[in-house]
Amino acid sequence: MRAQDLGKDVIVIERARVGGAGVHAGALSSKTMWHLSNDFALAQRSDRGYCAKAGFEISYRRVIESVRAAVSEREGYFDKQLDRLAASRSGGGSVSLVRGTAKFISPHEVEVRRTDGSLELVSASHFVVATGSKPRIPDGLPVDGDLVVTSDHIESFPSFPESMVIVGAGVIGCEYATVFANFASTKIRIIDRQPRILPFEDEDVAEEVASNFESMGILIHRSSKLQEMRVVDGKVEYVISDPEGKTQTIRVERALVSVGRVPNTRTLGLENAGVQLDKNDSIVATHTQSSVSHIYAAGDVTMDIALANVAELEGRYAVEKMFGLDPRPIRYEALSAIMFLKPEVASVGLNELQAKERKIPYRVGVVDNRLVARNVAMRNTSGFVKLLAAKDSGKILGLRVVGPQASSTIQGIAFLIEMGATLDDIDRCVHPHPAIPEGVQECARMLLGRSVFKVEVFGPEGLLRCGEG
C-alpha cells in the first residue's frame, strides 16, 4: 500500500491467506481469544455486586466461531482493497494479488507456481521479502496437529481439553496459558527450562505474571527439561527432569509446543538471487536492505524483532528507501509491545536487564497499582508501573506496566523516548483522571522527588520503590 501511494505498480504473491500470522493463527485471532476469555473470567467474578447464579454454558466451537468472525472481517477489508486497486491507472499505482508460491530464479525474476498448478515468470526492479515465520518444532516432538499442536492448530480443537501442557514459557506460550486458564475448563501446565517464565523481562515483571498464573491454577514446571513426549492411548505423555535429575512422567489430553519461530525462507530460492542468510536461515539485512541492493526484507524473515508492528514499519521503510524518499531510520529502542497475559504487560524501551547489559547507568521507580486511582475504581489493583530514566540526565529509557489496560500507557512514552524527553516532560504533561497513565506520571514524580505519595510512607509497605543501577 505504501508503494501504491508512490504510484508504483505492485505484485503481491501469496500462497495462502492474506494477512498471514498478523491475522490468522496469530496476532488478531489469538488476541480475539484473549479478549473473549477475559470477558468470560470477568463475568464469573462474584465480588462486584452481581452473580450469575445459574452458571455459564461454554462452547469451544462457539468461541472459535467468534474468533473466525473477527478474522473474516479483517480479511474482508484487505480483499476489498486489493480488488479495487488491481486495475492499472495512468501514472501507475496498481496492486495485483497473485495466488501461488514464488521462488527466485535470478536476482530480478521469480517463478510463481499458481494455486491451479500453472507457472508464471514475474520480473521486477525491486523486491520485498515478507514471508514471515512459522512455529519452530524441535526434533523428537510428535507434533501431529491434533493431540500435539503448535499455535497454528489451536483453533482446530473440537472442545476445550481437560488438560494441556505448554512447552515453552515465552510470550506465545504464556498467552495461550492465560486464554485457557481464563475459560476455566482446562488444567494448564507449563514446562519452563529457565528458573522463571518470560526470561527476557525483569524478574519483578515475570514473577508478577507467574504469581497470577498460579492463582489461576496454572502449574509451572520451573527449571525443568523435557526429556520425552509421546502419544499413548490417545493421550499425551511427557517426561520432565528437574536440575537434580529427578524425573516425572505426566499424562495430559493435549500439548502445545511453543518454543519460538523460524523464518519462512528455505523454499524461496534466495541463493539464486545471491541473498545472504545467517545460520538460522534468516535474511541478513541492514536497515531492511539485504546483501543484494534491490532486494529488501521486512518482518520475521530477519528474526530481529518478531512483532507485527515492526514488520509493518520495516515494510514501509523499505519501500520509501528503495524509491529514494530517504526515510528516517527506525528507532528500535522506542518500539512498544503488549503481552496479552493476566495481568496484561506493556513495554517500551529498555528494561533493567537490558540497561545493565549495555552498562547504562539508570534510576528506576516503581508504583504499585494499588496507588493508581483508575485501578482502584476498576477493582483490579494487581501489578505495577515501572519507569527507567538515565541516572544523570533524567532522559527516559523505558517503561514496563503490568496490569489491566497496561497498553494505554505506552504510546505516549514511546513518543517521548523518540524525542529524547526527560522525567520533567512526563511530570508537566496534563494526564487524564482517573486513568492508568497517571501511574507513569507518579513514577516520574517520585524519581524527581515530588510525588503525591512518599517513599518513606509507602516504601516499607512495598507500594513504592526507588532504585538505581
Side-chain angles (χ1 to χ4, degrees):
M1 292 308 137
R2 188 68 187 105
Q4 193 269 345
D5 292 341
L6 303 178
K8 307 301 178 181
D9 290 324
V10 183
I11 292 178
V12 179
I13 303 168
E14 173 56 53
R15 69 180 181 185
R17 300 175 294 191
V18 173
V23 176
H24 309 271
L28 179 61
S29 59
S30 65
K31 277 53 178 181
T32 304
M33 287 186 74
W34 180 81
H35 278 290
L36 295 174
S37 75
N38 275 329
D39 289 347
F40 181 83
L42 184 61
Q44 296 282 69
R45 290 180 62 168
S46 58
D47 60 347
R48 299 195 159 222
Y50 53 84
C51 181
K53 293 182 178 179
F56 286 82
E57 178 185 338
I58 183 169
S59 163
Y60 192 76
R61 180 180 58 81
R62 290 181 180 175
V63 168
I64 297 304
E65 284 176 359
S66 186
V67 170
R68 289 175 177 165
V71 168
S72 180
E73 286 177 28
R74 187 68 169 166
E75 190 177 24
Y77 287 124
F78 289 154
D79 289 341
K80 179 179 180 179
Q81 183 153 271
L82 288 168
D83 288 343
R84 294 283 181 89
L85 297 177
S88 294
R89 298 178 297 173
S90 60
S94 68
V95 181
S96 301
L97 175 63
V98 174
R99 294 285 188 178
T101 303
K103 181 178 182 180
F104 280 94
I105 59 173
S106 74
H108 281 281
E109 294 176 304
V110 292
E111 182 182 74
V112 181
R113 182 171 294 278
R114 289 179 173 266
T115 52
D116 62 7
S118 62
L119 291 177
E120 178 180 353
L121 196 63
V122 174
S123 60
S125 60
H126 297 85
F127 292 84
V128 177
V129 181
T131 48
S133 63
K134 60 186 176 183
R136 185 170 77 86
I137 302 175
D139 294 337
L141 293 187
V143 174
D144 58 7
D146 181 18
L147 298 179
V148 183
V149 304
T150 69
S151 56
D152 286 349
H153 311 118
I154 284 288
E155 295 176 25
S156 65
F157 290 169
S159 60
F160 283 101
E162 292 182 3
S163 55
M164 182 167 68
V165 64
I166 298 175
V167 183
V171 174
I172 296 175
C174 287
E175 190 173 284
Y176 279 113
T178 303
V179 167
F180 282 91
N182 271 340
F183 281 122
S185 297
T186 306
K187 171 64 179 177
I188 296 293
R189 299 170 180 265
I190 301 175
I191 301 174
D192 186 5
R193 295 192 66 167
Q194 305 292 330
R196 59 180 175 84
I197 63 174
L198 307 174
F200 50 86
E201 269 300 343
D202 290 339
E203 185 175 357
D204 52 358
V205 173
E207 286 306 319
E208 181 73 22
V209 175
S211 176
N212 274 272
F213 274 13
E214 288 163 356
S215 70
M216 296 165 70
I218 298 172
L219 175 63
I220 304 172
H221 298 297
R222 298 174 186 252
S223 300
S224 296
K225 183 178 180 181
L226 178 63
Q227 299 286 358
E228 185 181 1
M229 178 175 286
R230 53 186 177 261
V231 175
V232 179
D233 297 329
K235 302 289 184 181
V236 179
E237 192 171 271
Y238 65 96
V239 181
I240 55 173
S241 61
D242 62 20
E244 287 72 43
K246 182 181 178 182
T247 63
Q248 185 179 8
T249 302
I250 300 168
R251 184 175 290 195
V252 293
E253 189 173 328
R254 278 184 165 80
L256 168 63
V257 178
S258 182
V259 289
R261 298 178 70 86
V262 294
N264 289 318
T265 57
R266 287 194 174 183
T267 63
L268 298 180
L270 291 166
E271 66 281 0
N272 299 328
V275 174
Q276 181 184 353
L277 303 178
D278 66 15
K279 63 180 181 179
N280 298 314
D281 293 327
S282 300
I283 294 176
V284 177
T286 303
H287 301 297
T288 72
Q289 195 167 25
S290 78
S291 56
V292 179
S293 62
H294 66 278
I295 300 177
Y296 293 74
D300 291 10
V301 288
T302 64
M303 291 308 290
D304 48 6
I305 302 174
L307 294 171
N309 56 340
V310 175
E312 183 184 351
L313 283 174
E314 290 177 340
R316 288 173 176 270
Y317 179 89
V319 168
E320 292 179 356
K321 184 174 181 179
M322 71 174 62
F323 293 120
L325 267 63
D326 192 26
R328 287 195 303 174
I330 299 172
R331 291 282 302 275
Y332 289 96
E333 62 268 31
L335 292 174
S336 53
I338 312 167
M339 287 178 265
F340 291 80
L341 311 175
K342 194 167 188 178
E344 182 180 330
V345 178
S347 66
V348 61
L350 301 180
N351 60 22
E352 287 193 80
L353 285 175
Q354 293 164 333
K356 289 174 181 176
E357 287 173 0
R358 301 181 191 184
K359 296 181 170 51
I360 299 174
Y362 67 88
R363 297 180 65 215
V364 59
V366 180
V367 172
D368 192 280
N369 284 341
R370 284 173 285 179
L371 297 180
V372 180
R374 183 62 180 271
N375 289 92
V376 175
M378 294 168 67
R379 311 309 298 139
N380 190 340
T381 57
S382 64
F384 54 85
V385 180
K386 182 177 186 179
L387 184 66
L388 265 70
K391 190 171 183 179
D392 296 329
S393 65
K395 184 177 178 180
I396 304 164
L397 298 176
L399 175 72
R400 297 297 183 274
V401 180
V402 183
Q405 298 184 15
S407 58
S408 66
T409 63
I410 54 176
Q411 187 50 40
I413 299 301
F415 175 75
L416 290 174
I417 292 174
E418 173 81 21
M419 301 302 293
T422 65
L423 294 171
D424 195 59
D425 293 310
I426 297 177
D427 180 23
R428 294 183 185 281
C429 249
V430 179
H431 286 63
H433 175 79
I436 301 298
E438 286 183 298
V440 182
Q441 187 177 44
E442 287 309 316
C443 268
R445 287 174 169 173
M446 180 171 56
L447 291 172
L448 291 167
R450 47 182 185 249
S451 173
V452 170
F453 301 105
K454 304 306 177 186
V455 174
E456 59 265 30
V457 177
F458 292 105
E461 298 180 25
L463 301 184
L464 295 176
R465 177 169 70 86
C466 279
E468 58 182 50

